[in-house]
């Protein structure tokens, strides 16, 4: 899952220089820039506030040849050591909407916070993103991870993205059809043939919200909200508010307790595997998939192994939701990795299922 590190502490005071039209910040503390609040230092950091900034970095005589590390909201990141690659801190803003006959197209800069884009769209009278409310991170990171919640994934709403090649500086618009979306996966995470991990950076995202709007309510938590409130036909604003309430009750606010949201992917197993597990553990939470396989609730598996509330150093399993690992104050990345590995081994030992982490470990 990553290399354990020695203490990640800046050896020099932060400094800034301008060279070849690029403002380079040196020895930047990354603790405020990752939602886990883990200590690490960026040797060199460049803030990307417009697409042209990427090309300036690519054309730079020193930075152009150096490895790059793209940083959005830092909500899907476990830092275990200092970052020697040039950190591109994505801060491109901008939101706009275009109405078409069959849909609305919402366009957003890669540095816009994802939840801000969802709330802004609703305020413009554009429904369709409400199930994805309150997911942390930036718009530019959303396609990389193919974020998803309450029955909708990013791939269901993506029209296209603008990406800039980190070798040539050339911009290309990629339609959703070439993004190789999978469960918490995309071409932007893949390193093999045709993969774009480390090769490009997303600068702009276009989201397609179809007409007529249809609520997506086929999820247990939303069905409970309908039953509790007696609202059988909620509008998009009501679904948005429900999703915010559900997420707030389950997941800690990173501004108060450092975390990276759901730490493990929900594992997908065959129907036969699911039957075997149900025979041993009848209460396991599972969801049927369109292809006949079943998705198991990773949080339930972790909780069943007795991990809720347990800790390793400053890293702990959240008391209210076993799927979330948290920073109790002064955790280091190595402690998060150690805790995650222990959970993986425990779940594999009991259920024969290998949990995969969602965050990127650096």
């Amino acid at each position: 899952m990553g290399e354990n590190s020695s203490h990640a502490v800046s050896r020099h005071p932060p400094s800034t220089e301008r060279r070849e039209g690029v403002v380079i910040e040196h020895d930047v503390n990354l603790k405020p820039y990752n939602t886990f609040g883990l200590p690490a230092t960026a040797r060199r950091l460049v803030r990307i506030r417009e697409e042209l900034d990427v090309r300036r970095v690519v054309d730079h005589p020193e930075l152009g040849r150096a490895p790059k590390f793209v940083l959005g909201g830092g909500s899907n990141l476990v830092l275990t050591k200092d970052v020697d690659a040039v950190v591109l801190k994505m801060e491109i803003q901008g939101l706009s909407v275009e109405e078409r006959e069959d849909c609305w197209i919402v366009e957003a800069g890669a540095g816009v916070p994802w939840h801000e884009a969802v709330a802004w769209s609703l305020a413009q009278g554009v429904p369709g993103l409400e199930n994805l409310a309150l997911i942390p991170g930036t718009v530019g990171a959303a396609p990389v991870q193919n974020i998803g919640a309450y029955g909708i994934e990013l791939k269901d709403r993506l029209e296209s993205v603008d990406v800039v090649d980190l070798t040539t500086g050339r911009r290309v618009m990629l339609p959703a059809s070439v993004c190789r979306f999978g469960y918490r996966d995309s071409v932007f995470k893949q390193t093999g043939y045709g993969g774009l991990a480390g090769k490009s950076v997303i600068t702009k995202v276009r989201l397609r919200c179809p007409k007529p709007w249809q609520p997506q309510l086929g999820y247990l938590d939303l069905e409970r909200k309908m039953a509790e409130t007696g609202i059988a036909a909620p509008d998009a604003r009501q679904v948005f508010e429900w999703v915010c309430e559900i997420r707030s009750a389950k997941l800690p606010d990173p501004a108060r307790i450092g975390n990276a949201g759901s730490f493990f992917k929900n594992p997908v197993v065959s129907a036969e595997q699911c039957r075997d597990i149900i025979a041993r553990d009848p209460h396991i939470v599972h969801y049927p998939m369109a292809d006949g396989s079943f998705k198991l609730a990773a949080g339930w598996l972790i909780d069943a192994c007795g991990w809720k509330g347990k800790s390793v150093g400053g890293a702990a399993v959240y008391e209210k939701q076993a799927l979330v690992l948290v920073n109790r104050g002064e955790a280091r990345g190595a402690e998060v990795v150690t805790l995650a590995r222990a959970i993986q081994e425990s779940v594999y030992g009991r259920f024969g299922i290998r949990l995969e982490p969602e965050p990127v470990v650096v």
Side-chain angles (χ1 to χ4, degrees), residues 322-350:
L323 192 55
V324 178
L325 305 190
V326 297
N327 179 354
R328 283 194 166 153
E330 297 299 326
R332 296 191 172 273
E335 294 170 339
V336 176
V337 170
T338 299
L339 176 59
R341 283 180 175 154
I343 291 168
Q344 285 174 305
E345 290 168 10
S346 178
V347 170
Y348 184 77
R350 175 166 173 182

Side-chain angles (χ1 to χ4, degrees), residues 245-259:
E245 289 169 11
I246 293 164
R247 289 187 69 90
S248 297
K250 284 187 175 183
L251 304 173
D253 180 356
R256 294 190 303 107
I257 305 172
N259 73 93

Side-chain angles (χ1 to χ4, degrees), residues 194-243:
L196 295 178
K199 299 176 184 175
S200 65
V201 58
I202 295 171
T203 56
K204 191 174 288 183
V205 174
R206 293 172 200 87
L207 302 161
R208 180 186 181 88
C209 297
K211 297 179 182 177
W213 173 76
Q214 296 287 335
Q216 301 292 320
L217 301 169
Y219 209 88
L220 183 59
D221 286 326
L222 292 174
E223 290 171 359
R224 283 177 180 152
K225 285 288 186 185
M226 291 168 68
E228 287 170 9
T229 61
I231 300 173
D235 60 16
R237 171 62 63 178
Q238 182 66 72
V239 176
F240 172 86
E241 290 174 1
W242 284 348
V243 169

Side-chain angles (χ1 to χ4, degrees), residues 17-133:
E17 65 169 323
R18 177 183 286 274
R19 290 173 56 193
E20 308 291 333
V22 178
V23 177
I24 308 167
E25 298 176 39
H26 294 274
D27 298 300
V28 178
N29 177 15
L30 293 178
K31 191 169 184 176
Y33 298 139
N34 72 97
T35 60
F36 237 123
L38 299 171
T41 298
R43 300 296 179 216
R44 293 169 294 180
L45 182 144
V46 178
R47 298 179 189 275
I48 305 298
R49 291 178 170 139
E50 58 178 347
E51 185 183 282
L52 186 58
D53 289 335
V54 182
R55 291 205 288 274
R56 290 186 181 116
V57 171
V58 171
D59 292 339
H60 193 277
E62 180 188 345
L63 302 183
R65 292 188 296 271
K68 314 292 192 300
F69 180 79
V70 178
L71 178 61
S75 62
N76 195 46
L77 188 61
V78 177
L79 292 168
T80 65
K81 57 188 176 184
D82 293 338
V83 182
D84 289 322
V86 178
V87 175
L88 303 183
K89 179 76 171 62
M90 301 305 296
E91 298 182 355
I92 299 173
Q93 299 299 302
L95 284 161
S96 64
V97 62
E98 173 196 346
E99 186 168 6
R100 298 180 183 174
E101 190 174 336
D102 62 339
C103 68
W104 294 272
I105 300 293
V106 176
E107 186 175 275
V112 175
W114 173 259
H115 179 69
E116 182 182 312
V118 175
W120 181 89
S121 300
L122 267 182
Q124 309 310 305
V126 177
L129 302 176
E130 55 282 340
N131 291 54
L132 302 175

